[in-house]
């Protein structure tokens, strides 16, 4: 069973950048599709980006396309979310999620979740 721990959140000014990391335990990380989701106060958890188990396929929400990049390093059991040109509306708790041999944009496709990391973008 893979366990997930996010890090890298913080406070940043609009236009700035952050890189989130999600470290996974377990020896089967390379068989898991990974996703990033976010949840702002009072809102539903929404899809941000996802990457397949090999890293060869990615998908993004329209709201972050061209600004965010998802990547993974299977040797380090880690998935990353590079966030550039941050906007106040990107403020949320960011969660990584994992599902074996699947990846996609629906939160219901993922059974494993981290505890989240807060990202706050000031205007």
């Amino acid at each position: 069973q893979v366990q997930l721990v996010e890090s890298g959140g913080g406070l940043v000014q609009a236009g700035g950048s952050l890189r989130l990391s999600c470290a996974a335990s377990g020896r089967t990380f390379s068989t898991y599709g990974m996703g990033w989701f976010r949840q702002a106060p009072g809102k539903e958890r929404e899809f941000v980006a996802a990457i397949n188990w090999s890293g060869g396929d990615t998908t993004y929400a329209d709201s972050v396309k061209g600004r965010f990049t998802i990547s993974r390093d299977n040797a380090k059991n880690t998935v990353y979310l590079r966030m550039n040109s941050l906007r106040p509306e990107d403020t949320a708790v960011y969660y990584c999620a994992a599902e074996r041999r699947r990846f996609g944009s629906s939160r219901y496709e993922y059974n494993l979740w981290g505890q989240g990391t807060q990202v706050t973008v000031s205007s």
Side-chain angles (χ1 to χ4, degrees):
Q1 182 91 341
V2 169
Q3 293 184 320
L4 308 173
V5 179
E6 302 97 332
S7 62
L11 173 64
V12 64
Q13 288 188 328
S17 298
L18 282 174
R19 189 180 78 161
L20 305 183
S21 299
C22 175
S25 64
R27 291 182 286 182
T28 59
F29 176 74
S30 62
T31 66
Y32 282 76
M34 302 294 296
W36 284 98
F37 291 76
R38 66 187 181 187
Q39 189 166 16
K43 294 190 175 181
E44 294 283 317
R45 190 168 298 189
E46 66 174 6
F47 170 72
V48 176
I51 189 167
N52 76 337
W53 40 95
S54 69
D57 197 3
T58 59
T59 184
Y60 296 91
D62 287 343
S63 60
V64 307
K65 205 171 291 185
R67 300 188 298 124
F68 292 9
T69 303
I70 189 170
S71 61
R72 67 188 296 160
D73 185 339
N74 285 345
K76 294 182 178 180
N77 279 16
T78 302
V79 64
Y80 304 98
L81 185 68
R82 177 67 180 182
M83 306 186 294
N84 295 329
S85 303
L86 282 161
R87 305 167 180 168
E89 54 264 39
D90 295 317
T91 296
V93 177
Y94 283 69
Y95 298 89
C96 71
E99 183 57 45
R100 193 161 187 186
R101 296 291 184 191
R102 292 188 66 177
F103 83 112
S105 59
S106 171
R107 60 181 177 172
Y108 301 108
E109 297 183 73
Y110 298 88
N111 286 314
L112 302 174
W113 293 84
Q115 83 288 350
T117 185
Q118 176 71 47
V119 171
T120 303
V121 184
S122 63
S123 58

